[in-house]
Amino acid sequence: MQSYTIGQAARLLGVSPDTARRWADAGRVATHRDESGRRLIDGRDLAAFSIEVGQSAGEEDDAYTSARNAFPGIVTAVKIGDVAAQVEIQAGPHRLVSLLTREAVEELGLEVGMQAVARVKSTSVHIDRT
């Protein structure tokens, strides 16, 4: 399972590294240390926490987007059927849902806790594995 540094988690959550560090220090999200002593957050833990943060985002928060409508975030759910699949990504305060083929999800190797980018064009949401 992929793990994230405090800085990477902050970028995915749309907050400063200091805010992410304070949340970790307060025990809001679990961390562990790697061989070099860096604090890491397990991808599944970050995915669950990103949903909590996204749901509590207020109206006054700035939107987390780019000029090309790319929303970097973390995969929070993957539901696979016989032919189709549904992937949810939490990108800062934004929850994006994409319906795509089962084959596409399997080729990308998408799973909860991994980093991905949702690209929105009109009513379509495309997922890029990062």
Side-chain angles (χ1 to χ4, degrees):
M1 172 49 55
Q2 186 169 353
S3 291
Y4 298 90
T5 65
I6 294 291
Q8 290 170 324
R11 185 176 59 79
L12 292 170
L13 294 169
V15 299
S16 73
D18 286 337
T19 297
R21 214 173 279 109
R22 280 193 300 275
W23 287 342
D25 290 345
R28 289 189 62 190
V29 62
T31 63
H32 63 278
R33 299 218 180 245
D34 66 6
E35 313 79 47
S36 62
R38 292 183 310 167
R39 283 200 304 183
L40 300 174
I41 302 170
D42 178 73
R44 288 192 184 274
D45 291 338
L46 183 59
F49 183 66
S50 71
I51 293 170
E52 176 189 326
V53 170
Q55 290 173 341
S56 66
E59 292 286 326
E60 69 281 352
D61 289 344
D62 292 333
Y64 185 68
T65 186
S66 74
R68 295 184 184 204
N69 299 320
F71 293 80
I74 187 165
V75 176
T76 58
V78 178
K79 299 171 188 161
I80 298 178
D82 292 336
V83 176
Q86 177 180 313
V87 176
E88 297 181 21
I89 292 179
Q90 192 72 38
H94 307 288
R95 176 180 164 260
L96 297 110
V97 179
S98 180
L99 300 176
L100 54 163
T101 65
R102 174 188 183 125
E103 181 181 18
V105 171
E106 290 171 348
E107 283 180 12
L108 290 170
L110 294 175
E111 59 184 47
V112 172
M114 82 181 334
Q115 188 174 345
V117 176
R119 296 190 187 279
V120 179
K121 181 176 180 187
S122 186
T123 60
S124 299
V125 177
H126 304 267
I127 306 294
D128 298 334
R129 182 176 171 183
T130 55

